[in-house]
Each structure stands twice: as structure tokens, then as C-alpha cells.
Amino acid sequence: MARYNAKESERQWQAEWDARALFATPGHSDKPKCYVLEMFPYPSGRIHMGHVRNYTMGDVIARFRRAQGYNVLHPMGWDAFGLPAENAARDKGVSPRDWTYENIAAMREQLKMMGLSLDWAREFATCDPEYYHQQQKLFLDFYKAGFVHRHEADVNWDPVDMTVLANEQVIDGRGWRSGALVERRKLSQWFFRITQFADELLAGLDTLDRWPEKVRVMQRNWIGKSEGLRFQFTLSNSEKLDVFTTRPDTLFGASFVALSPEHPLAQELAKKDAGLAAFIEECRHVGTAEADIEKAEKKGYATSLTAAHPFDADWELPVMVANFVLMGYGTGATFGCPAHDQRDLDFARKYQLNVTPVVVPEGADPRTFDVGQEAYTGPGLLANSRFLDGMTVDQAKAEVAARLEKAGTGARTVNYRLRDWLVSRQRPWGCPIPMIHCAKCGVVPVPADQLPVRLPETINFQVKGNPLDADTSWKTTTCPACKGPAVRDTDTLDTFADSSWYFTRFTNPDFDEPVDKKAADYWLPVDQYIGGIEHAILHLLYARYFTRAMSKLGMVKVAEPFAGLFTQGMVCHETYKDADGNWVSPEEIEKRDGKAFERNTGKEITIGPSEKMSKSKKNTIAPETIIAEYGADTIRWFMLSDTPPERDIEWTDAGAEGCWRFVQRVWRLATESQGLPPAGTVPSNDDAAKPLRQAAHRAIAAVTDDLENLRFNRAVAQLYTLANVIGGAEKVDGGARREAIEALVLLSAPMMPHLAEQCWKELGHGKLVAETPWPKYDPALTASDSVTIAIQVNGKRRGEISMAKDAQTKDVEAAALAEDGVRRALDGKAPKKVIVVPNRIVNIVA
RNA sequence: GCGGCCGUGGCGAAACUGGUAGACGCAGCAGAUUUAGGUUCUGCCGGGCAACCGUGGGGGUUCAAGUCCCUCCGGCCGCACCA
């Protein structure tokens, strides 16, 4: 038999699956449903190894569930709006539309070469007018429901991408894409009121038991809920100052009141105080710059004002402007209690302010308790606090809140770190915001019969600023209300809006409303979602928000879109540098004796650590090269082997060759087996056949369990083991051999679908593997009748015995004591105690 | 600093609720087949001549610890002055 021709075979089977429309999902079915989804790609032009890993995992699950009898939805689409298309358009003079659709066509072909079991009939791109038409309707629905609002605010302006950004998109003070330092601007923009659902989004995390803990923690921190008290200080100029605290219990330990440098009162005072103005200016410069925040000293400036303690009008606290108080949190002002807050303590020591402990740990003496240089934040009883003395922290918090609420100067509040989602973007390649600005009527939604607001056919990138804004003929329109002259909103929606509901649209992508409720209610939630950890906050939080908002509008039944989430690791590769420190790509390299040399020049190249594949480090491997050389099954098998899916995987040539050898090995086992009886033969139950039969049935049980739990690397190892057993059992009964080989083929099918089809055909089957149910195991064959039991003496292994399964304890004990190594270790002494763990181990205590 | 995850052969890793540490793969070594290379097949492959010793270090619980507890060291990721 000839070697397996992957190229030929893969093309044929892909055509066969297509012709039979095997992966087109019926809308209705009696089978249980399973929605498998991988994060859809941005159409950059080529697929990369990260896509290969992501889509292979999803495909394994989809094929596995389909074989198990589920009605599987496994769609694919394109996250197609965004800046790279604009940059390409500007650099190459093409239209972003043409550039994007050409890339989609190229990437679609590459994905098809991977043999993914996708329902291509449901494919769409977010830049399709049909899609953004529905998204505009959705936006207006949100608007009518009060989920969308427009207001002027300090916004994050990215000077490189020339647009505003949401809070989530500013990382360390820089734009998430451009890396440029973000500037502050005051602009009137559209916001989604995500804070409206802050509590629900937080509580919902507890229901997501099939999400990684890590992602839930990150979202919890991002939402940043803290419960506390908001109350007023009366200042010496008789004005009131609102502050927020989570520790009202420590109010009698207060030694100052602190304002953010950006607080309006601080700004006001600075007008008449040059020293303060200079201090505020200094704070601005340190600001959000970089990691030096950590080292930044606590600094303050005493204003001319004092604040009266809310429970003692004669007790005056200095009002200070402090560099560590954030305007964006709470009210931008708080009181400082140095004994129980590290920042306040550092600050107080520097400016010689009082440090009075008011919470004392149990057992400590309130008169002598001293916090030293470390603020005490643990539990304890109140002291030095008049009417609070002796209370617990919780009792004191409640007491202070109750008294201030009664006095009308305070209220218990919940504070969130989460801000509303700013969605306006001053970019032309996005979903136009369907709003019209009329001098007379104000902001007017575009009427339904005038939707979609289409992007102009041609976009002129030569203009300064947003091309949509410069395109007078596009933006000029009439007001739907008064029919007078008006202009369109020239901003587009953040592209994260596009990806916040695409999974819902997949459930019926042709429906003439955003959501076909019947289809959505049948398919949602997504049972298994797979993608990169980099979306832990942005995409996954926004998608959760959209789903909740849509749920409130009755469009979908579910509150959470993704029941199961899996975040896969990155694909890495060694890095190479020449003598001048320039990155060198793997293609230009030749390896000899563990050293690397440049192919053209013969010069030695330094091998660097394995890092995430990236263009900048030139350590990428193009998937199409590997597919051309070994075929899709080999690259898929590699992505699933050895490394657990959540960890980073390293691509190596040797590993790829190993995978290719296994593909050939399976092919040989399936085609070179001499004397196999015809398909359907019942294997004999004689003793010689039993070990092989057991190996096959155990593999079925183990692989099934591993795939259920996404342990692909273990499933792979099970299949290697089965192949080894089959290889060593050439003389075994043909029926048992056929059974084992068929198990190997069927179990490997989700991972190497083309190879499996080809082998299945060679084995004489008329139906496709893709139409064949998942194999079942016989429990009688996964259990064994004899077991090897290890014998320990004082916890050290001294020998082993073979016993019938579930043998009597006294028989096991007798056999253990008779074992040579055990006798030697005991040296004639009588055992004090013998512990027998059935079918496992015997430990003799001497 | 806070939070999360993790530390096992030359490498990637297995080890279910504590119960034979290193399955499986890569690399390596030896042999067979081959004119040769490649392929394929067989065997070996944590350390030590051995008794024994070995899961980052130290301590503990237990008949028994990679697994549980304490502590220290190291790494990765996230947040970062959040009152």
C-alpha cells in the first residue's frame, strides 16, 4: 500500500463533505443542541498559528458532539470593521471594503483547507450592510429603552488612531492598539449605560461555573464594586464637601480630609493660591505616566480650609490636596485615617499628622496599641471612638451610617469602578451611528424605513480628520422630524459593539430583524466558547452586557451568552538573532548540532527564548506552508498534542515531523493489516484476543472522557497507547484487530478527520466517519480481572504482587507478607500493622 | 503592594477523590532492514556500581504526600495609589 497522500485525500474529503452539506445545521431537530463557537477572526489577510490552534480545538468539540448525537451549530464569520483596513486603504490607495473582502476570500480558503466542520451557509462579515443594518436597529432599540445616552465628558483621545477610546481600551495610559499616550478631551459622545447592569454583571459571574476562575476574577475587579458611605463635611467657608468611604467605622481616627488635585474645589482654591496651583501642575505630570506610580511618594498640600468632624463641630480637620486621591473614584474626596490605611499612614508620617488607632485587634490593649509603620486593616473592636467604643467593625459601620443618614448628611451607597461604555469613534470604517443632528429638533433617530445608514461608496482618506465628517454630500440630510436641513452623526460605533452580539445573529443570520427569538432561544447560550485570554475583559464583558440588555428587551431568553468559556494558550517559537542583533526568520535558518546558521551566509545565529509568534520578532511559521508539506491533519494533531490547551505551546519542526509519522502509522495500521475479516465481524472472546479488546475499549472510555473535559493532550496520548498495542498484536484474532483499528480511526476522527475518512473507506465502510456515531465501550472490557498491588514496608516500596481483582483482604495480606522483598525488609520481625487498600497497595508497618 | 496560576527527567508533559512518580510524545543511544541517507521495526532512556536517593528549599499531618497544612525561594499573568 502506498504512503498516505494527505494533499490528495484532504481535498477529496473536503469536497465530499461539502457536496453532502454535512455540516449545514438544520433549524429544528429532536436531538439535543450544542452551540460550539470560536472567537471570529479579524480579516487581516492570512490565518496564523493562533487561529489554527483555536479553530482546531473548536472543531474537535464540534465533531465529537456531532458524533455523539447532538445537533451542533458551528458557524464562522468575520470581525471585519476596524483600523487596519483604513491604514491599508491610506497606504495602498485601495478601498477598505475591497481590501477587507479580498482578505476574507483568502482566509476563507485557508480555513477550508483545515477541514473544519463549519456551517458556511451562516457566514457573514460585520461590514456587510445587512449586518450593520440590524445593528443600527439594535442601537435604536437600545436608545428607545434608555440604554444609550449622549453627553459631554472627559474622554480618552488616542492621538495616533485619531479617535476616542473606552476606559477598557486604555492600558497603562496608552491606547490598546496604537500604544500612544492617551490625551484628555472634552467631547459630546454616545455611551452605552453598562453601569446600569454593573450589579447584574457582577452577580452573573457567580453563575458561570464553566468559565476560568481567572477571567471571572478579572471581570470582578474591573467592575470593582465597593459598598460604603457617602457623606458631607461642612467646611470652614461653610461650603459642603461630599466624600466617599468604605470605612465609616474609622471616622474618629480621621486626621485630615483629602481632595484629588482634579477636584473642582481644589481647582477653585488654586486660583487664589499659586503654591497650590503649582502643586496641582506637578501632580498632573507624574499622573498616569508609567510604573513609577508605585514608587511615587505620597504628597500633599494644605489648603486654607478646615472641615468640621461630623460628630463634633469643634473638631477641625485640615483639608489637604493629596496626589493619591483619584478624581475618577467615588467623589474625588475622602477623609484620611492613618492608623487603618497604608497610604494615609505614609502621608501622615510625612506631614506629622495624628495617628490614632480606633480598631484594635482582639487581645490588644487600646491604650498601648501602636500601628508603627504598618496600618492595621484587620478585624477588631472599636476604641478611642466615643459612642462606637467596643463595637465590631461591622456594627460601627452601621452605626455611623445610621446616624449620618438620620442627620441627612450621609447615605449608604455602592460605588463601582466600571464606567459607562463610550462607543463613538471618529473613524470611517465602522457601523454608522443612525442618528441625525438638527439645529431645531436636536438629536433625532433615523426612522426605520431609512435604514440602513450605509457607508459612502468611496471614502476619501486624503482629508484631515474623519472622512465621514468631511464628506458633505454623505452627511447632509433632512431632519426626519421637521424636514429641515440637518446632518448625520459622522461617528461610527466601536467595533467591540459588532462582536457583542454576532453569536446571537448566527442563530439566524438572514432574519429581517436583529434577532429571530425562536432561533436564539433554541441555540443560546453558546455551550462552548473558545478564544484568547486577551479578551477577558473587553469583548467578554461587552458581550455579556449586550446579552443582558437584549434580554431586558425580550429579544433573547438568556442573560448570559457563554455557558462555557475556554481560553487557549498562545503559539510560540524560538527566536533568532544575527550578530548585528537583527531578528532572523526560521525559514532563513539551518540547524546543525543544536546550533543555528543563516542558510545564505553560513553565519552563526544566536538562538533566543521561545516567544509568542509575532511579525516583529520574525518567529512566525505560516500555517499554509505546513499544510502544503504535511497536510491539515498533521498541523491539527500537533496543536492538540503534548501541551495542555490552556498553556502556551511551542511549535517545533521535530514535533511536526513526529505528528506526520503518526499520521502515516495510523494509515499503515488501517491498510496493511493482513487478513482482517469484513466490516461488521464480531470479535472473538478468546483469551489471546482479550488484551487487545481491553485496550480498545479502555481507549474509547478514556478518549471520550478526555474530550468531554477538553483534555486534548491526554486524548492524544491515549491514541498513541492504543496504536502501540495494535502494532504489537499482529497475531491476534482478526475480529479483535478490526475492532481496535476501527476504534483508533473513529476516536481520532475529531482531530484528524480526513485521515479517518480515508482509513474508514479502506476498512470497507460505505458511510462516512462524519455520519458514524461515536463508539461505545463495553464496561466488562474496561475492567480488568487481575491487579498489580504494590507492597510497602513503612511507606517504602519493597515489591509487588499480582492478585485477582477484589481478592479477599486476608489473602492479599498473606501474599504480601510472603513476598521476597518484604521478607527481607522485615528481617524476621513481626509486622505491627498491615493496611490493605483494595486493588491498590499494601503498607506494612514494622 | 494586592489578586490569580504555577514549580515533576535533556524538553513538552502524565499521575482520578492522598495509595507503584515519570504514562504518552520529542530529542538521544544501541541494534535490525537498506548500497547509503531517509523510512520502518526492536530495545534502552531520572540519578547512583550498589544499598538507596529522587516531584523548587525547609518543616508538619498521615500507615502512606507530587497531591493536604505552615513557611521560605523562584517564575508567569492580571490589577495597580479604588479610600
Side-chain angles (χ1 to χ4, degrees):
Chain A
M1 184 61 71
R3 274 162 78 86
Y4 175 61
N5 184 340
K7 211 172 183 174
E8 185 58 29
S9 177
E10 291 182 356
R11 199 176 41 220
Q12 274 178 22
W13 291 112
Q14 285 161 17
E16 184 73 27
W17 295 328
D18 255 4
R20 300 195 189 195
L22 277 180
F23 307 124
T25 310
H28 303 280
S29 167
D30 298 334
K31 299 174 184 174
K33 70 97 184 176
C34 185
Y35 187 173
V36 181
L37 185 68
E38 302 95 59
M39 291 179 185
F40 67 163
Y42 179 80
S44 58
R46 315 221 71 88
I47 63 167
H48 54 65
M49 285 294 187
H51 293 129
V52 173
R53 195 173 190 205
N54 192 182
Y55 301 139
T56 297
M57 288 179 195
D59 198 47
V60 170
I61 298 165
R63 285 179 182 269
F64 171 58
R65 293 301 185 198
R66 192 184 310 275
Q68 281 187 316
Y70 286 88
N71 185 30
V72 173
L73 174 57
H74 187 212
M76 182 57 71
W78 310 94
D79 189 13
F81 275 134
L83 269 162
E86 295 184 27
N87 295 336
R90 189 174 302 103
D91 298 346
K92 295 174 190 157
V94 294
S95 89
R97 184 180 291 103
D98 293 348
W99 183 86
T100 302
Y101 281 106
E102 278 164 27
N103 285 349
I104 287 173
M107 287 176 77
R108 186 191 297 115
E109 283 320 298
Q110 292 189 311
L111 289 183
K112 288 197 167 175
M113 283 168 64
M114 283 181 61
L116 304 172
S117 62
L118 291 164
D119 182 359
W120 285 103
R122 291 173 190 255
E123 175 193 4
F124 61 77
T126 55
C127 64
D128 294 343
E130 295 75 27
Y131 184 78
Y132 70 73
H133 179 183
Q134 301 306 327
Q135 186 162 300
Q136 288 172 345
K137 283 195 206 164
L138 202 52
F139 179 89
L140 293 176
D141 288 338
F142 279 22
Y143 177 74
K144 277 173 219 142
F147 298 167
V148 175
H149 62 130
R150 184 181 172 83
H151 67 89
E152 187 174 78
D154 272 329
V155 299
N156 308 299
W157 175 260
D158 184 321
V160 168
D161 283 351
M162 300 280 282
T163 183
V164 299
L165 296 174
N167 282 15
E168 289 78 8
Q169 293 158 6
V170 179
I171 318 282
D172 291 338
R174 294 171 182 273
W176 71 290
R177 288 200 87 264
S178 71
L181 276 176
V182 162
E183 297 165 8
R184 274 260 162 86
R185 286 204 180 178
K186 242 188 174 51
L187 284 174
S188 193
Q189 303 277 275
W190 290 104
F191 291 82
F192 283 141
R193 279 193 214 267
I194 188 169
T195 53
Q196 197 176 5
F197 298 137
D199 235 351
E200 282 187 44
L201 289 167
L202 185 66
L205 291 171
D206 294 331
T207 68
L208 301 173
D209 55 342
R210 289 203 296 120
W211 277 42
E213 180 57 18
K214 184 184 181 154
V215 175
R216 293 195 290 170
V217 168
M218 281 166 75
Q219 292 215 355
R220 214 170 273 135
N221 291 342
W222 186 264
I223 295 168
K225 177 179 181 173
S226 48
E227 290 176 50
L229 183 72
R230 214 174 160 133
F231 69 94
Q232 282 179 346
F233 278 104
T234 303
L235 302 178
S236 47
N237 64 0
S238 20
E239 279 181 34
K240 309 283 185 191
L241 175 70
D242 265 328
V243 301
F244 174 77
T245 182
T246 56
R247 292 297 302 272
D249 54 308
T250 64
L251 196 47
F252 286 104
S255 52
F256 61 98
V257 169
L259 296 176
S260 164
E262 293 163 63
H263 194 282
L265 178 60
Q267 302 278 329
E268 189 59 37
L269 292 170
K271 287 179 187 162
K272 289 173 198 149
D273 184 339
L276 179 56
F279 176 74
I280 291 172
E281 186 57 26
E282 188 193 324
C283 292
R284 259 168 51 95
H285 285 297
V286 186
T288 47
E290 272 295 310
D292 50 20
I293 289 173
E294 193 192 334
K295 288 163 248 153
E297 224 182 318
K298 305 285 172 283
K299 280 186 187 165
Y301 187 95
T303 68
S304 53
L305 297 174
T306 59
H309 192 281
F311 292 126
D312 185 345
D314 298 330
W315 180 355
E316 299 209 330
L317 297 164
V319 176
M320 321 233 349
V321 176
N323 64 347
F324 59 89
V325 179
L326 305 174
M327 193 56 219
Y329 187 80
T331 62
T334 188
F335 70 86
C337 175
H340 306 290
D341 182 287
Q342 192 59 47
R343 290 156 307 172
D344 295 347
L345 184 61
D346 295 345
F347 190 79
R349 295 288 186 220
K350 185 174 166 103
Y351 295 103
Q352 280 95 47
L353 299 165
N354 284 334
V355 180
T356 311
V358 290
V359 178
V360 176
E362 208 154 346
D365 184 345
R367 285 161 302 184
T368 55
F369 180 67
D370 182 16
V371 296
Q373 291 305 318
E374 216 163 300
Y376 180 72
T377 54
L381 297 181
L382 272 286
N384 305 318
S385 295
R386 307 186 193 184
F387 56 84
L388 299 175
D389 281 355
M391 289 186 184
T392 64
V393 167
D394 284 342
Q395 288 167 336
K397 279 180 180 173
E399 181 63 26
V400 170
R403 289 195 184 214
L404 292 179
E405 277 174 346
K406 198 171 169 201
T409 57
R412 273 174 263 225
T413 55
V414 177
N415 194 61
Y416 296 93
R417 202 182 90 113
L418 185 70
R419 296 280 99 118
D420 277 338
W421 174 16
L422 166 54
V423 290
S424 299
R425 294 292 178 274
Q426 291 70 47
R427 305 299 337 164
W429 186 236
C431 170
I433 295 175
M435 289 289 182
I436 289 167
H437 300 272
C438 171
K440 230 190 282 171
C441 313
V443 176
V444 185
V446 175
D449 61 4
Q450 290 175 30
L451 292 178
V453 177
R454 280 174 180 267
L455 289 168
E457 279 306 309
T458 54
I459 299 170
N460 180 7
F461 284 96
Q462 305 311 311
V463 299
K464 225 177 127 205
N466 181 1
L468 295 184
D469 198 38
D471 188 337
T472 4
S473 70
W474 184 81
K475 88 172 172 182
T476 310
T477 185
T478 46
C479 172
C482 71
K483 310 297 173 200
V487 289
R488 296 191 181 286
D489 199 305
T490 58
D491 289 345
T492 54
L493 283 176
D494 182 0
T495 56
F496 277 103
D498 309 345
S499 54
S500 291
W501 70 288
Y502 77 106
F503 43 88
T504 302
R505 187 67 186 163
F506 273 139
T507 64
N508 185 351
D510 302 318
F511 202 63
D512 58 7
E513 289 297 322
V515 181
D516 172 1
K517 187 159 192 302
K518 213 173 133 201
D521 286 348
Y522 173 70
W523 286 113
L524 292 179
V526 173
D527 295 277
Q528 187 63 60
Y529 197 35
I530 311 176
I533 185 74
E534 67 273 20
H535 294 108
I537 293 175
L538 293 164
H539 164 56
L540 290 168
L541 186 63
Y542 294 147
R544 292 183 63 220
Y545 161 69
F546 252 69
T547 305
R548 261 172 210 274
M550 288 163 78
S551 170
K552 295 280 186 269
L553 299 181
M555 294 179 180
V556 294
K557 194 167 61 180
V558 295
E560 289 290 342
F562 313 121
L565 172 70
F566 190 86
T567 52
Q568 104 253 8
M570 298 180 299
V571 183
C572 301
H573 193 278
E574 273 182 342
T575 47
Y576 308 104
K577 266 185 182 177
D578 67 16
D580 302 327
N582 300 313
W583 299 106
V584 182
S585 111
E587 287 144 47
E588 302 167 65
I589 284 199
E590 217 165 29
K591 280 200 171 173
R592 271 175 273 137
D593 307 323
K595 289 181 175 175
F597 301 90
E598 195 168 6
R599 214 186 288 277
N600 290 338
T601 61
K603 282 188 194 151
E604 187 167 351
I605 296 290
T606 312
I607 302 178
S610 182
E611 292 188 63
K612 182 188 176 176
M613 285 189 179
S614 73
K615 276 186 202 157
S616 61
K617 288 183 181 142
K618 287 201 180 179
N619 63 338
T620 55
I621 301 288
E624 62 264 32
T625 322
I626 306 300
I627 293 175
E629 195 171 352
Y630 301 109
D633 287 335
T634 296
I635 202 170
R636 292 170 62 119
W637 187 250
F638 185 105
M639 288 302 172
L640 302 163
S641 302
D642 293 345
T643 303
E646 68 278 10
R647 280 189 223 173
D648 292 352
I649 194 171
E650 188 185 356
W651 179 269
T652 62
D653 291 344
E657 278 161 30
C659 293
W660 170 237
R661 283 199 296 270
F662 186 67
V663 168
Q664 293 295 347
R665 191 153 160 236
V666 172
W667 172 247
R668 279 196 309 275
L669 287 173
T671 58
E672 288 178 6
S673 271
Q674 295 304 309
L676 277 192
T681 304
V682 178
S684 87
N685 258 331
D686 62 41
D687 285 352
K690 199 162 183 191
L692 182 58
R693 297 208 62 201
Q694 285 180 326
H697 284 260
R698 284 176 189 155
I700 295 171
V703 170
T704 305
D705 185 52
D706 287 336
L707 292 186
E708 300 264 8
N709 293 293
L710 314 182
R711 293 185 296 235
F712 306 116
N713 56 318
R714 294 215 316 201
V716 164
Q718 303 290 355
L719 291 172
Y720 275 112
T721 305
L722 178 58
N724 289 344
V725 177
I726 296 172
E730 270 170 36
K731 296 196 180 70
V732 173
D733 168 74
R737 282 182 61 71
R738 170 172 278 278
E739 179 185 51
I741 290 167
E742 292 195 346
L744 178 65
V745 168
L746 291 176
L747 294 176
S748 62
M751 309 179 211
M752 302 190 286
H754 313 86
L755 174 69
E757 293 290 5
Q758 195 67 49
C759 290
W760 198 241
K761 190 180 168 192
E762 293 296 329
L763 286 165
H765 291 278
K767 269 213 248 169
L768 304 194
V769 172
E771 299 166 319
T772 303
W774 191 247
K776 290 195 167 54
Y777 66 88
D778 177 356
L781 283 164
T782 54
S784 53
D785 18 56
S786 79
V787 286
T788 306
I789 297 176
I791 317 295
Q792 297 179 333
V793 177
N794 292 332
K796 295 199 166 149
R797 189 175 175 278
R798 297 295 175 186
E800 61 179 41
I801 51 173
S802 185
M803 296 294 289
K805 190 165 183 275
D806 299 326
Q808 295 278 311
T809 298
K810 63 176 187 341
D811 297 339
V812 174
E813 190 176 324
L817 288 168
E819 212 277 334
D820 279 353
V822 174
R823 291 232 299 258
R824 231 178 299 133
L826 283 175
D827 196 23
K829 283 178 285 191
K832 285 189 195 132
K833 193 174 169 191
V834 179
I835 292 138
V836 177
V837 181
N839 301 323
R840 285 255 152 135
I841 202 166
V842 176
N843 193 10
I844 298 162
V845 186

